[in-house]
Amino acid sequence: GALPSVVAGLVDKPVIGVPTSIGYGASMRGMAALLAILNSCAAGLTVVNIDNGFGAGFAAAQMLRLAQKTPPKTKQGKSPRQRVAKQAANRTTGKPAKKTAKRAAKSH
């Protein structure tokens, strides 16, 4: 039960914890492992039910699908993230954004 918590604390990638019903000592058919993983404070840890390898695989597939998606393009041909990054760069360099410069020229 402690292994997923330790690994999630050491790496910067998602970790999926799958408690098993077969264990040593007082494992209570996987409940001890499940509760140990659920009580973890490590970020990026996903927990599935006892012996749920299928659910773990599905969670991994969902994570991969989300990681491969690209942000939607706007009418200007740039994603919202690219637009915001460019606006932030313009603010730090003192260079006005194109729309702001056009509006300023029209108002004078």
Side-chain angles (χ1 to χ4, degrees):
L3 182 62
S5 305
V6 172
V7 173
L10 294 174
V11 299
D12 62 346
K13 304 287 187 238
V15 175
I16 302 173
V18 184
T20 59
S21 59
I22 299 172
Y24 56 90
S27 66
M28 298 180 289
R29 295 189 185 128
M31 282 301 295
L34 176 64
L35 293 174
I37 299 171
L38 285 174
N39 283 318
S40 172
C41 296
L45 179 60
T46 300
V47 184
V48 295
N49 208 349
I50 300 168
D51 292 332
N52 189 6
F54 179 81
F58 187 80
Q62 292 287 77
M63 290 177 199
L64 288 172
R65 184 178 307 151
L66 286 174
Q68 292 175 350
K69 281 188 178 178
T70 56
K73 299 287 183 182
T74 60
K75 291 180 183 177
Q76 293 85 13
K78 294 185 180 178
S79 70
R81 184 175 293 173
Q82 290 171 327
R83 233 180 30 254
V84 169
K86 186 172 182 177
Q87 289 171 354
N90 288 341
R91 276 190 227 121
T92 58
T93 60
K95 186 171 133 182
K98 289 181 182 178
K99 287 185 179 180
T100 307
K102 288 179 182 179
R103 286 182 191 155
K106 285 182 182 179
S107 65
H108 286 110

